[in-house]
Every structure is written in C-alpha cells, then in structure tokens.
Amino acid sequence: MISRIDLRGTQGDPRQALPRAELDVAAAAERVRPLCEDVRHRGVEALVELTERFDGVRLTDIRVPKDAIEAALDGLDPAVRAALEESIRRARAVHRDQRRTDHTTRVVPGGTVTERWIPVDRVGLYVPGGRAVYPSSVVMNVVPAQEAGVRSLAVTSPPQSAFGGLPHPTILAACALLGVDEVYAVGGAQAIAMFAYGAGPCERADMVTGPGNIWVAAAKRLLKGVIGIDAEAGPTEIAILADATANPDYVAADLISQAEHDVVAASVLVTPDEALAEAVTDRLAARVAATKHGDRVREALSGPQSGIVLVDDLDHGLAVVNAYAAEHLEVMTADAAACAARVRNAGAIFVGDFSPVSLGDYAAGSNHVLPTGGCACHTGGLSVQTFLRGVHVVEYDREALTDVAHHVIALANAEDLPAHGEAVAARTDPA
C-alpha cells in the first residue's frame, strides 16, 4: 500500500530521493490563461459561462444574497456552530498576538526612520470546494485579515448544484459567524481572475489568499503582479519524524488523516526504526479498510508522493525532514520538544503524541493555510503579517541631511548617478 525508501548509509542532499507529488503548474498556467483573459474582458458574463462549464451551475448572480448567508447560520447544526465559534476564538487569540506596532529609530539627531505597518486595503479570500467542505478555511483566511485591520474583504467558494448554486451552507454559516457578508459563488481559476480584475459587484482586490487545486495555483502564478498572492498551494502533505517510542497506531491514523484530503495528498513517515515501519504498515492496512474514504486514502498512500523513509538515526532523520520541508511536520520521538527545536523547515510543527495535525486544522489556534511542495524552506504560513506592509517613513531636518550629504554624493557618483547627488546638494550647498 505504501512504498519504502531506504536512505540508510547515504549521504548528501536527499531531496531527489524523497517522495513528492508531480505537478506542472507552468503548463496549467497556460491552460488557464484564456479563462483569466476572458474574465478580464467580459467580467460577469464570462464568470457565468465558466461556472456552468466547470461546476454545472448556471448562476443568475455571482454574489451570494445576505439572506442566504443568514439562513445558513440559522440552519447550522448547534454542535458545528459551537465548534466553529471555539475555533474562531482560539484563532483570534493567536493571531491578535501577531499584530505589529510602528517603531521609530532615531538614526542621528534630526533624522528618523519610522516603520509603519499598513494593512492591505482589500483582499479576496478563496475557500476551496470539491471532495470536502472547508468552513475551517474560512476561519483561517478571515481571522488574520481581520486582525491585521484589512478594511474590505470578500470570500469566494465554488457553487454547489446540490445547494441551489450557492457555496456549501456550512461555509456560508462560517462567513456569518465572522461578520463577512460579501461572498461570491465562484471557484477555480476564474475566481482568482475575478479578484485580480474585478467583475460586476466584485471590486478588484489587492491580494488573494487561500488554498485551492492546481488550477487555482496556476491562476495565482499567472496573475501574480496583477494581484498579490500568499502562495501557490499544492497538494496537502504530512511528514512524521518518529523513533521506536512512537505509537504506531497514532502514526498510521495521522498518515491516513492527511491522505483523506485527496488522491494526490502526500503522507510520509521518516524513521530510523524498521520495527516501527513494519508496525505502521500493518496498522495502515487495518485502518484504511475501516475508514470512510478508504479508496481515496489507499490511492494517496500508494502514490509516488507518499512513503516510509528509513534513516540511520534521528540526526539523519532531521536532515531529511529539513530537506523535505513539509507543510505539516509531526515529531513523535523520545524527546519530542528538543527534537522539534532543531527543525528549521516546516509550515507548522506538531510536537508529541497529543498534537496531531487534525488539531491544527481546526482548533489549535494556529493557521492551517501553509506552504506546500517544499516551499516551507523559504515561506511561512498565512498570518497577520501576510496582510501587512512595512512602510519606511523617512524624516530628516536640514542639519541631519547636511551632515550626511557628502556620503550620499560620493555613493551617487560611484554609481554614475550624479543627479542623485545634485538633489542633495541643491538643499545643502551654500547659496
């Protein structure tokens, strides 16, 4: 069901040997280019036609009526409502502490630089549909944007034919709980183009965030620059670093929980303990047979993106997981906290037996919109910082400028840009 990769006794960069989903985002970008151009030029008319083509829904209005959002909240299961409210409360607690404060540095007497943190004016937040329903992604997108102080935000999610061409009611209910009433029933690449160019009632946005399929990732790549993006999210992934002390049933359960997302989801175990690898393989077989989405899970676990990686020891295992740079990394070792402290590359790190990725997906307070495909070596997850811009405000008086003028002029001349120096000299040279 799941392949095994033996890296014991090997040296050097392990990335070429590690399992990873194969995605050609560049090719997908060329396929979505005409769709995005269509939305750019024809707006709502194009969105209606593309939605009928890809989602099988004929829209009469791309914007979800406010009464439909309110009705979704009224009809929400009380247990689900309570869970969403707790998820929101915890996410707010974590993201509120991420707020930045302006800071002024007195460089010299009469010369200051202030770093101001200014929120993006308007953002579009994408919530995927498809095989699963993701009200949790509404929370993870909206809360940091609100805590950052974004003044205008809109949510979009694919329409569902089973719900009269509206997004799933649980998604709409989550929007209502968060006070979001600008919601669109548009999905896929065309939704990113809608935010990038504006269409009908949807004004253009400065940034778009949120996970999606390869077509959403391709549209983000294509339109980056027209609109700001958080990341090109690929298939979800989990890596687990575990030793002989790990509970094989916990490990198997967590590998399966990630494989449940999609047939291209990645589940990777890295361990120096061959006995654990055998025990996990056995537990996978039993759990896959019993889980609801067994066929999907089995395909994901048997795909080239998943596997059990054998390493020499935990030091070797840490090198491997740092090279893999997983979206989600669980550490189940004898001294899990100390081991986790040595991890440098991961979207989020889950420490010990009782911090599974599922907790982070819903109610840890952390954000689950995270970098995939190895991008965690240079990119972090969605946060308040995503929606803030650091702007330097420079204020020097005449004396402070005069004091540094000769340095500015010297550097301007060294770069053969004498007019730069002349702009300073005009202010500081005696008349």
Side-chain angles (χ1 to χ4, degrees):
M1 181 186 303
I2 189 167
S3 63
R4 195 167 298 187
I5 300 167
D6 195 340
L7 296 183
R8 291 174 294 185
T10 64
Q11 296 181 347
D13 189 344
R15 279 175 287 194
Q16 295 301 316
L18 294 176
R20 186 76 79 183
E22 295 182 6
L23 293 174
D24 192 345
V25 178
E30 289 309 306
R31 290 184 62 181
V32 303
R33 185 185 297 276
L35 280 64
C36 294
E37 283 297 304
D38 196 16
V39 173
R40 178 184 182 184
H41 294 294
R42 295 198 299 131
V44 171
E45 184 180 359
L47 290 173
V48 169
E49 291 178 10
L50 291 168
T51 298
E52 185 171 23
R53 174 180 166 190
F54 292 114
D55 298 300
V57 172
R58 181 72 181 181
L59 297 175
T60 56
D61 190 349
I62 62 171
R63 183 163 178 172
V64 177
K66 290 183 181 179
D67 59 359
I69 299 172
E70 294 167 359
L73 181 58
D74 291 340
L76 186 62
D77 183 304
V80 176
R81 177 169 183 158
L84 280 171
E85 289 173 338
E86 182 63 12
S87 176
I88 292 167
R89 186 190 71 79
R90 295 185 180 207
R92 285 209 188 281
V94 170
H95 290 85
R96 187 169 292 126
D97 282 348
Q98 296 173 357
R99 292 176 177 174
R100 305 294 291 265
T101 57
D102 296 355
H103 181 80
T104 298
T105 301
R106 183 173 179 264
V107 182
V108 293
T112 63
V113 175
T114 299
E115 185 165 41
R116 291 177 56 200
W117 292 98
I118 304 173
V120 174
D121 285 336
R122 176 169 166 78
V123 298
L125 309 174
Y126 187 88
V127 177
R131 286 188 171 91
V133 182
Y134 293 102
S136 57
S137 287
V138 179
V139 177
M140 300 299 171
N141 274 278
V142 171
V143 168
Q146 289 178 333
E147 293 301 322
V150 173
R151 290 183 292 183
S152 174
L153 59 86
V155 168
T156 194
S157 190
Q160 309 289 321
S161 58
F163 299 103
L166 297 176
H168 195 284
T170 312
I171 288 173
L172 298 181
C175 290
L177 286 173
L178 288 157
V180 177
D181 61 12
E182 186 181 353
V183 184
Y184 296 93
V186 181
Q190 58 269 27
I192 308 304
M194 176 184 71
F195 285 136
Y197 297 117
C202 183
E203 297 180 7
R204 69 167 301 277
D206 300 297
M207 169 177 277
V208 62
T209 71
N213 61 20
I214 189 172
W215 309 113
V216 170
K220 282 184 172 182
R221 176 178 294 189
L222 181 67
L223 297 173
K224 183 179 180 181
V226 178
I227 190 169
I229 69 169
D230 53 343
E232 296 176 15
T236 192
E237 58 199 24
I238 183 176
I240 301 176
L241 178 62
D243 63 12
T245 67
N247 183 316
D249 198 51
Y250 295 172
V251 174
D254 293 353
L255 293 172
I256 288 171
S257 73
Q258 212 61 27
E260 183 178 41
H261 277 283
D262 197 284
V263 295
V264 293
S267 296
V268 177
L269 168 63
V270 178
T271 182
D273 191 77
E274 194 163 2
L276 176 68
E278 294 290 347
V280 168
T281 300
D282 290 343
R283 293 307 302 148
L284 284 174
R287 281 189 165 273
V288 170
T291 196
K292 177 180 179 180
H293 302 296
D295 290 343
R296 183 192 310 165
V297 169
R298 187 176 291 103
E299 186 172 350
L301 292 176
S302 61
Q305 73 277 8
S306 299
I308 296 176
V309 181
L310 294 172
V311 293
D312 293 316
D313 49 34
L314 280 182
D315 286 341
H316 189 198
L318 280 162
V320 168
V321 296
N322 276 319
Y324 185 71
E327 176 189 16
H328 310 91
L329 174 65
E330 292 186 356
V331 179
M332 296 188 195
T333 61
D335 193 349
C339 192
R342 297 172 62 192
V343 175
R344 295 185 57 82
N345 300 331
I349 305 169
F350 300 82
V351 183
D353 283 353
F354 302 103
S355 305
V357 167
S358 300
L359 174 66
D361 283 341
Y362 300 115
S366 57
N367 203 293
H368 79 203
V369 182
L370 301 167
T372 60
C375 292
C377 66
H378 56 74
T379 301
L382 200 68
S383 71
V384 166
Q385 181 63 39
T386 305
F387 301 99
L388 294 174
R389 299 159 290 148
V391 178
H392 282 176
V393 180
V394 180
E395 186 174 0
Y396 273 51
D397 62 21
R398 181 183 179 87
E399 290 72 24
L401 178 60
T402 300
D403 183 61
V404 78
H406 64 291
H407 290 310
V408 176
I409 292 168
L411 290 171
N413 290 335
E415 294 188 350
D416 194 25
L417 298 171
H420 282 58
E422 291 161 9
V424 171
R427 292 167 167 81
T428 58
D429 284 354

